[in-house]
């Protein structure tokens, strides 16, 4: 009979993913070792291998689970059935709030996903396209002319250019928070779209 998962399995796994994301963000995928990741987790290397067969497995799980979190945000905002501007504003706000606490995961998506095997990379990319499509749709609801001019995706990528890199300059100990910046980004962006 197969042994079931320990009650702390998911918590331990989440801790390992956070530690691995931190190591990958700091050192890069190739320079981060399983030993260093195990040490950062406070577990033995054999225990880490019990959860993850190799660094590639960790990398995929970090990227895949992070994009799943972003898709869950999209779904929760969609479920609220807000008017177009409120919907768009809520998406920006929720993403920026997520980015505030997910710098390492975000760095992994930006710099390390290219090291995944082709089928894994495509799985992550397909989910990323769903995120982009959700934002493009939200923008098209605010400004329907974007889609007709085939600008919805391009304008969406400009938006991601605005919000995706805030963690490189917005400091936790500074006068503004990610939450403070969300309505500023929304205002600048929507007024520019119109």
């Amino acid at each position: 009979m197969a042994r079931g998962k320990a009650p702390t399995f998911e918590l331990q796994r989440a801790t390992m993913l956070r530690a691995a994301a931190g190591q990958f963000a700091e050192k890069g995928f190739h320079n981060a070792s399983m030993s260093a990741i195990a040490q950062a987790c406070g577990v033995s290397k054999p225990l880490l291998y019990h959860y993850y067969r190799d660094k590639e497995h960790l990398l995929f799980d970090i990227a895949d689970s992070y994009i799943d979190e972003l898709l869950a945000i999209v779904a929760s905002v969609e479920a609220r059935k807000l008017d177009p501007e409120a919907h768009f504003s809520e998406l920006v706000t929720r993403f920026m709030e997520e980015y505030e606490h997910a710098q390492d995961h975000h760095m992994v998506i930006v710099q390390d996903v290219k090291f995944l095997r082709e089928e894994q990379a495509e799985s992550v990319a397909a989910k990323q396209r769903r995120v982009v499509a959700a934002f493009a749709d939200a923008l098209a609801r605010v400004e329907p002319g974007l889609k007709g001019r085939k600008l919805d995706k391009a304008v969406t990528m400009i938006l991601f250019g605005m919000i995706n890199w805030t963690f490189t300059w917005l400091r936790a100990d500074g006068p503004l928070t990610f939450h403070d910046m969300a309505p500023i980004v929304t205002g600048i962006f929507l007024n520019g779209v119109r």
Side-chain angles (χ1 to χ4, degrees), residues 4 7 15 45 53 66 97 101 103 135 141 171 179 181 186 194:
T15 300
K45 195 171 165 184
R53 68 183 168 273
Y66 181 59
E97 288 172 347
H101 306 288
Q103 177 178 343
F135 271 82
R141 290 184 212 169
R171 300 287 171 237
H179 186 78
M181 286 303 300
T186 300
R194 294 188 174 154

Side-chain angles (χ1 to χ4, degrees), residues 4-192:
K5 291 180 183 175
T8 60
F9 181 86
E10 290 303 323
L11 178 61
Q12 186 72 45
R13 193 173 143 266
T15 300
M16 290 173 178
L17 288 178
R18 273 193 307 279
Q23 290 291 306
F24 294 159
E26 180 185 339
K27 299 175 181 177
F29 175 72
H30 287 303
N31 294 323
S33 68
M34 289 294 272
S35 294
I37 293 167
Q39 185 176 14
C41 297
V43 301
S44 68
K45 195 171 165 184
L47 182 60
L48 179 61
Y49 277 111
H50 173 73
Y51 284 81
Y52 288 99
R53 68 183 168 273
D54 53 30
K55 284 195 315 183
E56 291 80 8
H57 186 199
L58 270 165
L59 177 59
F60 175 72
D61 214 5
I62 291 165
D64 191 57
S65 62
Y66 181 59
I67 299 297
D68 282 346
E69 287 178 35
L70 298 180
L71 285 169
I73 291 170
V74 166
S76 73
V77 172
E78 191 68 42
R80 294 185 60 197
K81 307 287 187 209
L82 300 168
D83 69 74
E85 281 197 23
H87 177 89
F88 176 75
S89 178
E90 185 67 10
L91 274 177
V92 171
T93 299
R94 295 282 305 279
F95 266 59
M96 288 194 71
E97 288 172 347
E98 175 64 25
Y99 289 175
E100 181 175 14
H101 306 288
Q103 177 178 343
D104 292 341
H105 288 76
H106 196 74
M107 287 296 295
V108 168
I109 292 291
V110 170
Q111 72 184 10
D112 293 325
V113 166
K114 63 187 172 205
F115 299 118
L116 290 172
R117 288 191 312 271
E118 186 176 343
E119 67 275 4
Q120 292 174 324
E122 178 49 39
S123 174
V124 170
K127 289 181 179 184
Q128 286 177 303
R129 287 191 294 271
R130 288 173 49 202
V131 171
V132 171
F135 271 82
D137 182 60
L139 277 169
R141 290 184 212 169
V142 172
E143 183 55 58
L146 289 173
K147 198 166 236 169
R149 293 178 306 195
K150 299 189 185 323
L151 291 174
D152 52 325
K153 295 279 172 43
V155 172
T156 299
M157 296 315 291
I158 291 169
L159 170 66
F160 279 117
M162 289 177 72
I163 66 173
N164 279 356
W165 297 98
T166 49
F167 70 84
T168 63
W169 58 267
L170 188 57
R171 300 287 171 237
D173 60 352
L176 294 170
T177 66
F178 281 76
H179 186 78
D180 295 334
M181 286 303 300
I184 294 168
V185 168
T186 300
I188 290 170
F189 198 78
L190 289 181
N191 292 331

